[in-house]
Amino acid sequence: MRRTLDDVQTSAGSTTTDALALLRDRPLVVLTGAGLSTDSGIPDYRGPGSPARTPMTYGEFVSGEAARQRYWARSHLGWSRMRAAGPNAGHLALAALDPTLLITQNVDGLHERAGSRRLVALHGRIADVVCLDCRTTSGRAELQGRLDAANPGWLAEHAAAEVRPDGDVDLEETAGFVVPACEVCGGVLKPDVVFFGENVPAPRVERCYAAVDALVDAGGALLVAGSSLTVMSGFRFVRRAAKAGTPVVIVNRGETRGDELATYRLDVGCSEFLSALAP
């Protein structure tokens, strides 16, 4: 049963009611960010109270063995916890809504686990691994087993390390961590996600642009949930929709780069809002 508008109690007042009314019964493209997964226990980058952090760039990752050792030592700890996270009410609501296209900046795979069908994982998935030399792809669970075997006791020794976004943890001492090579060619393994300094693959971007453009003739709307839109990979879709006259609704805790382009801008929880919108 659909929740009533009055079930969402926020300081936005009638704006929330208006936004829900605007979005209902329209074709939707939805763009999600890290704020959608905080209710699953995964920290976000820029929400209220989030710690300052500088993610490793692609240039750093390929700069040498020490950088990759640092990345995998921290990721080994973080991913062991991230994979235990489950979809929250917001993920489930979006699966029920089944928008024309769901674009996610998240790499946690929770939309897929919730059952979303028409989805573009803009930045890839942390559960996938690629060899930078032979381009062979494999599953992260398999690599996790190899990391465990090569670094016995590492998880237990650093169990208190604080979790950060994207399967990372707060850990400085990574000397001695053993990083396995590709089993096919002996090359360098990297999570199959877009690092800062890399470009989102063009086919993904074009599919998203096409879905956003189609909203014009369909009388649809673009909904942003849980993204600060700080990086251009997501902000460009908001800018494109607004330029075409498509309504844009932004739901996020804290300011976003796209606030001035939004038809409605709501500082409310993603899970609550999406649950109210879902059928």
Side-chain angles (χ1 to χ4, degrees), residues 224-270:
V224 179
S227 176
S228 65
L229 302 172
T230 301
V231 295
M232 182 56 71
S233 65
F235 178 60
R236 56 184 155 191
F237 303 122
V238 172
R239 192 167 62 178
R240 192 175 182 105
K243 184 177 181 180
T246 297
V248 176
V249 175
I250 298 176
V251 179
N252 189 65
R253 293 291 192 188
E255 295 181 356
T256 85
R257 189 179 181 183
D259 286 353
E260 293 185 357
L261 300 176
T263 309
Y264 293 109
R265 162 72 177 93
L266 307 176
D267 195 341
V268 300
C270 293

Side-chain angles (χ1 to χ4, degrees), residues 13-274:
S14 61
T15 304
T16 301
T17 302
D18 295 341
L20 288 168
L22 171 72
L23 295 171
R24 283 192 175 136
D25 302 320
R26 286 178 183 258
L28 296 179
V29 170
V30 181
L31 171 66
T32 68
L36 187 69
S37 292
T38 55
D39 286 348
S40 295
I42 300 174
D44 64 0
Y45 285 106
R46 302 175 181 90
S50 297
R53 67 185 302 269
T54 306
M56 183 172 287
T57 66
Y58 179 77
E60 289 177 288
F61 186 86
V62 299
S63 67
E65 184 177 346
R68 291 190 289 275
Q69 183 183 54
R70 175 174 173 267
Y71 176 84
W72 283 115
R74 295 161 63 126
S75 182
H76 181 48
L77 292 163
W79 193 77
S80 68
R81 303 175 200 178
M82 176 181 279
R83 65 176 173 175
N88 61 48
H91 296 108
L92 297 173
L94 280 173
L97 280 167
D98 191 24
T100 300
L101 186 65
L102 173 56
I103 307 168
T104 185
Q105 297 172 285
N106 299 339
V107 300
D108 52 37
L110 294 181
H111 284 301
E112 294 91 325
R113 289 173 57 187
S116 288
R117 300 183 304 142
R118 294 175 286 194
L119 180 142
V120 172
L122 204 60
H123 297 154
R125 298 178 181 87
I126 199 69
D128 299 325
V129 178
V130 63
C131 174
L132 295 182
D133 294 272
C134 70
R135 307 309 299 181
T136 297
T137 58
S138 57
R140 178 61 184 272
E142 176 187 348
L143 178 60
Q144 195 76 354
R146 297 177 64 200
L147 289 167
D148 277 332
N151 302 276
W154 185 265
L155 294 178
E157 181 181 353
H158 301 285
E162 181 183 354
V163 178
R164 291 187 169 187
D166 289 353
D168 195 7
V169 299
D170 187 5
L171 181 69
E172 295 302 325
E173 294 299 326
T174 58
F177 189 83
V178 179
V179 181
C182 173
E183 291 186 301
V184 176
C185 73
V188 173
L189 294 176
K190 172 186 172 292
D192 198 7
V193 299
V194 178
F195 277 33
F196 285 89
E198 286 188 281
N199 293 321
V200 177
R204 295 180 197 170
V205 177
E206 291 306 317
R207 183 182 175 191
C208 297
Y209 273 149
V212 171
D213 290 346
L215 292 172
V216 177
D217 291 337
L222 175 66
L223 169 62
V224 179
S227 176
S228 65
L229 302 172
T230 301
V231 295
M232 182 56 71
S233 65
F235 178 60
R236 56 184 155 191
F237 303 122
V238 172
R239 192 167 62 178
R240 192 175 182 105
K243 184 177 181 180
T246 297
V248 176
V249 175
I250 298 176
V251 179
N252 189 65
R253 293 291 192 188
E255 295 181 356
T256 85
R257 189 179 181 183
D259 286 353
E260 293 185 357
L261 300 176
T263 309
Y264 293 109
R265 162 72 177 93
L266 307 176
D267 195 341
V268 300
C270 293
S271 292
E272 293 81 2
F273 183 86
L274 293 170

